[in-house]
Amino acid sequence: ETGVTQTPRHLVMGMTNKKSLKCEQHLGHNAMYWYKQSAKKPLELMFVYSLEERVENNSVPSRFSPECPNSSHLFLHLHTLQPEDSALYLCASSQEIAANTGELFFGEGSRLTVL
Amino acid sequence: AQSVTQLDSHVSVSEGTPVLLRCNYSSSYSPSLFWYVQHPNKGLQLLLKYTSAATLVKGINGFEAEFKKSETSFHLTKPSAHMSDAAEYFCVVSGYSSASKIIFGSGTRLSIRP
């Protein structure tokens, strides 16, 4: 198995739907992250969890709701999204909160399309 | 404040010729610098990292980068491009324990001509 696994790889949803993205890391890391990657834009950090506690929330709209039940799993719950939320959502993990290392291990992403 | 600028959004080289992807950074302290690669429909993978040890850093797949403090640069090079090098490359600067201080560049798309 790869180190960080994301499901589903592709998701199409309407603006009134509720769906969830799942991330699982098999590296024994303590920190997990959600990033948004849109075309022509730098990666945007959305949420950071350390030992299942949210430590950063970068002004993300409330229609995105993260959940970290344990240090190996991270979810992103989606509801009433907008078409501009269509993007590649990347999950990453690191040993600690990337303390002076910045070394992140990424999953392959979930490609979200909002109709 | 930190920032990172990738000077070229797209670079195209012929197979077998050298690759140069340029990155300049701004930081008020000694930063850690990284290059990540992203192949189509894949996540990002660490190519190499500089964390105040040797200024010439060797990474995977024959890539290397040189930290030049006087020029605030961290350019990525490879002597001979291979078709499999076609991907998006991200320069990253980091220096604090906060994850939001990991700053990604906007990326350089590398194309390889046969």
Side-chain angles (χ1 to χ4, degrees):
Chain A
E1 283 207 22
T2 57
V4 180
T5 304
Q6 290 187 242
T7 55
R9 292 294 312 279
H10 299 274
L11 178 62
V12 179
M13 58 188 290
M15 289 190 287
T16 58
N17 291 159
K18 290 185 179 181
K19 297 285 184 184
S20 296
L21 306 181
K22 178 184 175 182
C23 177
E24 183 175 0
Q25 59 99 358
H26 309 277
L27 300 168
H29 288 165
N30 292 323
M32 297 187 76
Y33 311 73
W34 279 116
Y35 281 88
K36 178 183 179 182
Q37 186 177 33
S38 305
K40 310 295 183 186
K41 289 185 178 180
L43 257 68
E44 300 173 51
L45 179 65
M46 300 176 72
F47 301 104
V48 183
Y49 277 82
S50 173
L51 297 171
E52 301 127 55
E53 286 193 23
R54 190 189 310 181
V55 295
E56 289 202 39
N57 175 357
N58 284 1
S59 302
V60 179
S62 59
R63 57 186 183 269
F64 294 92
S65 175
E67 179 190 0
C68 188
N70 55 63
S71 59
S72 298
H73 294 85
L74 185 64
F75 295 88
L76 188 62
H77 303 299
L78 316 169
H79 62 98
T80 59
L81 294 190
Q82 304 298 311
E84 60 264 29
D85 296 323
S86 298
L88 182 68
Y89 289 84
L90 290 164
C91 175
S93 70
S94 64
Q95 184 63 46
E96 305 294 339
I97 292 290
N100 295 327
T101 68
E103 185 167 358
L104 300 166
F105 294 78
F106 284 86
E108 296 192 331
S110 293
R111 173 72 62 188
L112 173 65
T113 302
V114 181
L115 302 176
Chain B
Q2 298 178 102
S3 67
V4 61
T5 302
Q6 292 185 243
L7 299 166
D8 307 291
S9 60
H10 182 212
V11 170
S12 179
V13 302
S14 297
E15 190 175 19
T17 64
V19 174
L20 169 64
L21 306 183
R22 298 182 294 166
C23 173
N24 285 105
Y25 70 92
S26 172
S27 178
S28 54
Y29 44 80
S30 296
S32 296
L33 293 158
F34 309 80
W35 278 97
Y36 282 82
V37 60
Q38 184 179 30
H39 287 93
N41 300 314
K42 299 289 186 182
L44 281 71
Q45 179 187 14
L46 182 67
L47 264 183
L48 51 80
K49 62 180 179 180
Y50 165 77
T51 54
S52 75
T55 56
L56 182 62
V57 182
K58 294 187 184 298
I60 61 172
N61 301 332
F63 284 94
E64 61 182 38
E66 186 172 7
F67 173 70
K68 292 186 176 180
K69 187 175 181 179
S70 60
E71 299 176 10
T72 61
S73 70
F74 190 59
H75 300 334
L76 182 70
T77 60
K78 183 174 180 177
S80 177
H82 190 272
M83 295 300 292
S84 61
D85 295 328
E88 188 92 15
Y89 291 80
F90 295 91
C91 183
V92 180
V93 62
S94 167
Y96 284 134
S97 57
S98 165
S100 64
K101 300 305 181 184
I102 303 172
I103 309 297
F104 283 79
S106 53
T108 298
R109 182 164 62 91
L110 177 63
S111 300
I112 311 296
R113 301 187 300 271

mmCIF file of all heavy atoms in Angstrom, chain B residues 42-69:
data_model
loop_
_atom_site.group_PDB
_atom_site.id
_atom_site.type_symbol
_atom_site.label_atom_id
_atom_site.label_comp_id
_atom_site.label_asym_id
_atom_site.label_seq_id
_atom_site.Cartn_x
_atom_site.Cartn_y
_atom_site.Cartn_z
ATOM 1 N N LYS B 42 -1.383 12.687 -10.093
ATOM 2 C CA LYS B 42 -0.703 12.124 -8.936
ATOM 3 C C LYS B 42 -0.538 13.179 -7.860
ATOM 4 O O LYS B 42 -0.709 14.376 -8.095
ATOM 5 C CB LYS B 42 0.689 11.603 -9.327
ATOM 6 C CG LYS B 42 0.676 10.499 -10.365
ATOM 7 C CD LYS B 42 0.154 9.194 -9.792
ATOM 8 C CE LYS B 42 0.288 8.065 -10.793
ATOM 9 N NZ LYS B 42 -0.267 6.794 -10.268
ATOM 10 N N GLY B 43 -0.190 12.718 -6.640
ATOM 11 C CA GLY B 43 0.149 13.660 -5.588
ATOM 12 C C GLY B 43 1.562 14.178 -5.748
ATOM 13 O O GLY B 43 2.280 13.825 -6.679
ATOM 14 N N LEU B 44 1.974 15.049 -4.823
ATOM 15 C CA LEU B 44 3.313 15.611 -4.858
ATOM 16 C C LEU B 44 4.289 14.660 -4.179
ATOM 17 O O LEU B 44 3.974 14.034 -3.164
ATOM 18 C CB LEU B 44 3.345 16.963 -4.148
ATOM 19 C CG LEU B 44 2.827 18.161 -4.917
ATOM 20 C CD1 LEU B 44 1.324 18.119 -5.076
ATOM 21 C CD2 LEU B 44 3.254 19.454 -4.233
ATOM 22 N N GLN B 45 5.512 14.604 -4.721
ATOM 23 C CA GLN B 45 6.552 13.745 -4.170
ATOM 24 C C GLN B 45 7.788 14.594 -3.928
ATOM 25 O O GLN B 45 8.175 15.394 -4.792
ATOM 26 C CB GLN B 45 6.872 12.620 -5.153
ATOM 27 C CG GLN B 45 7.967 11.679 -4.686
ATOM 28 C CD GLN B 45 8.369 10.675 -5.742
ATOM 29 O OE1 GLN B 45 8.032 10.806 -6.925
ATOM 30 N NE2 GLN B 45 9.100 9.647 -5.342
ATOM 31 N N LEU B 46 8.425 14.407 -2.776
ATOM 32 C CA LEU B 46 9.624 15.173 -2.472
ATOM 33 C C LEU B 46 10.781 14.743 -3.374
ATOM 34 O O LEU B 46 11.116 13.558 -3.473
ATOM 35 C CB LEU B 46 10.006 14.959 -1.013
ATOM 36 C CG LEU B 46 11.231 15.736 -0.532
ATOM 37 C CD1 LEU B 46 10.928 17.242 -0.516
ATOM 38 C CD2 LEU B 46 11.659 15.271 0.856
ATOM 39 N N LEU B 47 11.393 15.728 -4.044
ATOM 40 C CA LEU B 47 12.569 15.481 -4.880
ATOM 41 C C LEU B 47 13.851 15.634 -4.069
ATOM 42 O O LEU B 47 14.762 14.817 -4.156
ATOM 43 C CB LEU B 47 12.617 16.501 -6.022
ATOM 44 C CG LEU B 47 12.061 16.134 -7.386
ATOM 45 C CD1 LEU B 47 12.313 17.296 -8.340
ATOM 46 C CD2 LEU B 47 12.692 14.863 -7.928
ATOM 47 N N LEU B 48 13.935 16.739 -3.335
ATOM 48 C CA LEU B 48 15.125 17.013 -2.537
ATOM 49 C C LEU B 48 14.821 18.120 -1.543
ATOM 50 O O LEU B 48 13.819 18.827 -1.679
ATOM 51 C CB LEU B 48 16.306 17.398 -3.431
ATOM 52 C CG LEU B 48 16.104 18.501 -4.470
ATOM 53 C CD1 LEU B 48 16.197 19.888 -3.878
ATOM 54 C CD2 LEU B 48 17.111 18.341 -5.611
ATOM 55 N N LYS B 49 15.730 18.259 -0.543
ATOM 56 C CA LYS B 49 15.519 19.295 0.454
ATOM 57 C C LYS B 49 16.849 19.858 0.940
ATOM 58 O O LYS B 49 17.863 19.155 0.979
ATOM 59 C CB LYS B 49 14.727 18.762 1.649
ATOM 60 C CG LYS B 49 15.407 17.644 2.424
ATOM 61 C CD LYS B 49 14.523 17.195 3.582
ATOM 62 C CE LYS B 49 15.177 16.068 4.360
ATOM 63 N NZ LYS B 49 14.309 15.615 5.498
ATOM 64 N N TYR B 50 16.839 21.137 1.281
ATOM 65 C CA TYR B 50 17.979 21.819 1.865
ATOM 66 C C TYR B 50 17.583 22.274 3.266
ATOM 67 O O TYR B 50 16.575 22.962 3.444
ATOM 68 C CB TYR B 50 18.374 23.042 1.033
ATOM 69 C CG TYR B 50 19.304 23.962 1.774
ATOM 70 C CD1 TYR B 50 20.647 23.652 1.905
ATOM 71 C CD2 TYR B 50 18.822 25.119 2.385
ATOM 72 C CE1 TYR B 50 21.500 24.478 2.624
ATOM 73 C CE2 TYR B 50 19.655 25.946 3.092
ATOM 74 C CZ TYR B 50 20.988 25.622 3.218
ATOM 75 O OH TYR B 50 21.819 26.437 3.941
ATOM 76 N N THR B 51 18.396 21.867 4.249
ATOM 77 C CA THR B 51 18.090 22.265 5.628
ATOM 78 C C THR B 51 19.356 22.714 6.341
ATOM 79 O O THR B 51 19.672 22.276 7.424
ATOM 80 C CB THR B 51 17.435 21.112 6.396
ATOM 81 O OG1 THR B 51 18.276 19.952 6.289
ATOM 82 C CG2 THR B 51 16.071 20.780 5.865
ATOM 83 N N SER B 52 20.118 23.598 5.712
ATOM 84 C CA SER B 52 21.303 24.260 6.266
ATOM 85 C C SER B 52 22.518 23.357 6.387
ATOM 86 O O SER B 52 23.436 23.664 7.139
ATOM 87 C CB SER B 52 21.006 24.913 7.624
ATOM 88 O OG SER B 52 20.903 23.944 8.651
ATOM 89 N N ALA B 53 22.539 22.277 5.674
ATOM 90 C CA ALA B 53 23.740 21.445 5.609
ATOM 91 C C ALA B 53 24.491 21.849 4.322
ATOM 92 O O ALA B 53 24.701 23.015 4.080
ATOM 93 C CB ALA B 53 23.380 19.969 5.626
ATOM 94 N N ALA B 54 24.877 20.910 3.504
ATOM 95 C CA ALA B 54 25.590 21.218 2.271
ATOM 96 C C ALA B 54 24.724 22.060 1.340
ATOM 97 O O ALA B 54 23.527 21.825 1.220
ATOM 98 C CB ALA B 54 25.999 19.928 1.570
ATOM 99 N N THR B 55 25.327 23.031 0.685
ATOM 100 C CA THR B 55 24.538 23.925 -0.170
ATOM 101 C C THR B 55 24.151 23.271 -1.488
ATOM 102 O O THR B 55 23.192 23.690 -2.129
ATOM 103 C CB THR B 55 25.315 25.215 -0.462
ATOM 104 O OG1 THR B 55 26.580 24.862 -1.034
ATOM 105 C CG2 THR B 55 25.540 26.006 0.810
ATOM 106 N N LEU B 56 24.887 22.249 -1.907
ATOM 107 C CA LEU B 56 24.511 21.496 -3.103
ATOM 108 C C LEU B 56 23.801 20.230 -2.648
ATOM 109 O O LEU B 56 24.387 19.394 -1.963
ATOM 110 C CB LEU B 56 25.740 21.160 -3.946
ATOM 111 C CG LEU B 56 25.452 20.417 -5.252
ATOM 112 C CD1 LEU B 56 24.589 21.275 -6.184
ATOM 113 C CD2 LEU B 56 26.755 20.024 -5.945
ATOM 114 N N VAL B 57 22.556 20.129 -3.033
ATOM 115 C CA VAL B 57 21.726 19.031 -2.562
ATOM 116 C C VAL B 57 21.398 18.103 -3.721
ATOM 117 O O VAL B 57 20.966 18.564 -4.777
ATOM 118 C CB VAL B 57 20.409 19.574 -1.957
ATOM 119 C CG1 VAL B 57 19.564 18.431 -1.415
ATOM 120 C CG2 VAL B 57 20.710 20.586 -0.857
ATOM 121 N N LYS B 58 21.600 16.829 -3.506
ATOM 122 C CA LYS B 58 21.250 15.844 -4.533
ATOM 123 C C LYS B 58 19.928 15.180 -4.170
ATOM 124 O O LYS B 58 19.684 14.861 -2.998
ATOM 125 C CB LYS B 58 22.358 14.806 -4.666
ATOM 126 C CG LYS B 58 23.657 15.387 -5.206
ATOM 127 C CD LYS B 58 24.683 14.310 -5.495
ATOM 128 C CE LYS B 58 26.013 14.930 -5.935
ATOM 129 N NZ LYS B 58 25.867 15.713 -7.192
ATOM 130 N N GLY B 59 19.108 14.978 -5.192
ATOM 131 C CA GLY B 59 17.812 14.372 -4.958
ATOM 132 C C GLY B 59 17.633 13.100 -5.762
ATOM 133 O O GLY B 59 18.589 12.519 -6.271
ATOM 134 N N ILE B 60 16.386 12.722 -5.914
ATOM 135 C CA ILE B 60 16.097 11.502 -6.657
ATOM 136 C C ILE B 60 16.091 11.782 -8.152
ATOM 137 O O ILE B 60 15.978 12.933 -8.584
ATOM 138 C CB ILE B 60 14.740 10.908 -6.221
ATOM 139 C CG1 ILE B 60 13.600 11.896 -6.493
ATOM 140 C CG2 ILE B 60 14.770 10.532 -4.744
ATOM 141 C CD1 ILE B 60 12.219 11.306 -6.256
ATOM 142 N N ASN B 61 16.212 10.722 -8.937
ATOM 143 C CA ASN B 61 16.121 10.795 -10.399
ATOM 144 C C ASN B 61 17.135 11.731 -11.039
ATOM 145 O O ASN B 61 16.891 12.274 -12.124
ATOM 146 C CB ASN B 61 14.701 11.219 -10.826
ATOM 147 C CG ASN B 61 13.635 10.261 -10.323
ATOM 148 O OD1 ASN B 61 13.893 9.077 -10.120
ATOM 149 N ND2 ASN B 61 12.442 10.760 -10.099
ATOM 150 N N GLY B 62 18.286 11.905 -10.397
ATOM 151 C CA GLY B 62 19.353 12.682 -10.997
ATOM 152 C C GLY B 62 19.231 14.188 -10.844
ATOM 153 O O GLY B 62 20.036 14.944 -11.395
ATOM 154 N N PHE B 63 18.239 14.668 -10.132
ATOM 155 C CA PHE B 63 18.080 16.093 -9.908
ATOM 156 C C PHE B 63 18.968 16.572 -8.766
ATOM 157 O O PHE B 63 19.270 15.833 -7.846
ATOM 158 C CB PHE B 63 16.616 16.422 -9.570
ATOM 159 C CG PHE B 63 15.703 16.407 -10.763
ATOM 160 C CD1 PHE B 63 14.995 15.263 -11.096
ATOM 161 C CD2 PHE B 63 15.554 17.536 -11.550
ATOM 162 C CE1 PHE B 63 14.151 15.240 -12.197
ATOM 163 C CE2 PHE B 63 14.709 17.529 -12.656
ATOM 164 C CZ PHE B 63 14.011 16.379 -12.982
ATOM 165 N N GLU B 64 19.372 17.836 -8.848
ATOM 166 C CA GLU B 64 20.076 18.475 -7.763
ATOM 167 C C GLU B 64 19.729 19.957 -7.736
ATOM 168 O O GLU B 64 19.214 20.503 -8.713
ATOM 169 C CB GLU B 64 21.585 18.259 -7.836
ATOM 170 C CG GLU B 64 22.256 18.801 -9.071
ATOM 171 C CD GLU B 64 23.751 18.477 -9.063
ATOM 172 O OE1 GLU B 64 24.143 17.377 -8.618
ATOM 173 O OE2 GLU B 64 24.525 19.348 -9.502
ATOM 174 N N ALA B 65 19.995 20.583 -6.605
ATOM 175 C CA ALA B 65 19.718 22.010 -6.460
ATOM 176 C C ALA B 65 20.804 22.626 -5.604
ATOM 177 O O ALA B 65 21.362 21.975 -4.709
ATOM 178 C CB ALA B 65 18.352 22.237 -5.819
ATOM 179 N N GLU B 66 21.098 23.893 -5.877
ATOM 180 C CA GLU B 66 22.124 24.591 -5.122
ATOM 181 C C GLU B 66 21.526 25.782 -4.399
ATOM 182 O O GLU B 66 20.861 26.621 -5.011
ATOM 183 C CB GLU B 66 23.245 25.065 -6.041
ATOM 184 C CG GLU B 66 24.417 25.675 -5.267
ATOM 185 C CD GLU B 66 25.621 25.966 -6.146
ATOM 186 O OE1 GLU B 66 25.500 25.827 -7.386
ATOM 187 O OE2 GLU B 66 26.662 26.334 -5.590
ATOM 188 N N PHE B 67 21.740 25.827 -3.095
ATOM 189 C CA PHE B 67 21.281 26.949 -2.279
ATOM 190 C C PHE B 67 22.315 28.069 -2.376
ATOM 191 O O PHE B 67 23.483 27.884 -2.031
ATOM 192 C CB PHE B 67 21.125 26.504 -0.822
ATOM 193 C CG PHE B 67 20.826 27.632 0.132
ATOM 194 C CD1 PHE B 67 19.603 28.271 0.097
ATOM 195 C CD2 PHE B 67 21.772 28.048 1.070
ATOM 196 C CE1 PHE B 67 19.311 29.290 0.976
ATOM 197 C CE2 PHE B 67 21.491 29.074 1.955
ATOM 198 C CZ PHE B 67 20.259 29.698 1.908
ATOM 199 N N LYS B 68 21.887 29.227 -2.873
ATOM 200 C CA LYS B 68 22.777 30.387 -2.980
ATOM 201 C C LYS B 68 22.166 31.528 -2.181
ATOM 202 O O LYS B 68 21.250 32.215 -2.650
ATOM 203 C CB LYS B 68 22.966 30.791 -4.445
ATOM 204 C CG LYS B 68 23.744 29.787 -5.257
ATOM 205 C CD LYS B 68 24.037 30.314 -6.660
ATOM 206 C CE LYS B 68 24.908 29.344 -7.437
ATOM 207 N NZ LYS B 68 25.216 29.841 -8.801
ATOM 208 N N LYS B 69 22.708 31.717 -1.000
ATOM 209 C CA LYS B 69 22.141 32.728 -0.104
ATOM 210 C C LYS B 69 22.284 34.131 -0.676
ATOM 211 O O LYS B 69 21.366 34.949 -0.582
ATOM 212 C CB LYS B 69 22.836 32.646 1.264
ATOM 213 C CG LYS B 69 22.224 33.539 2.314
ATOM 214 C CD LYS B 69 22.871 33.317 3.665
ATOM 215 C CE LYS B 69 22.241 34.210 4.728
ATOM 216 N NZ LYS B 69 22.865 33.972 6.059
#
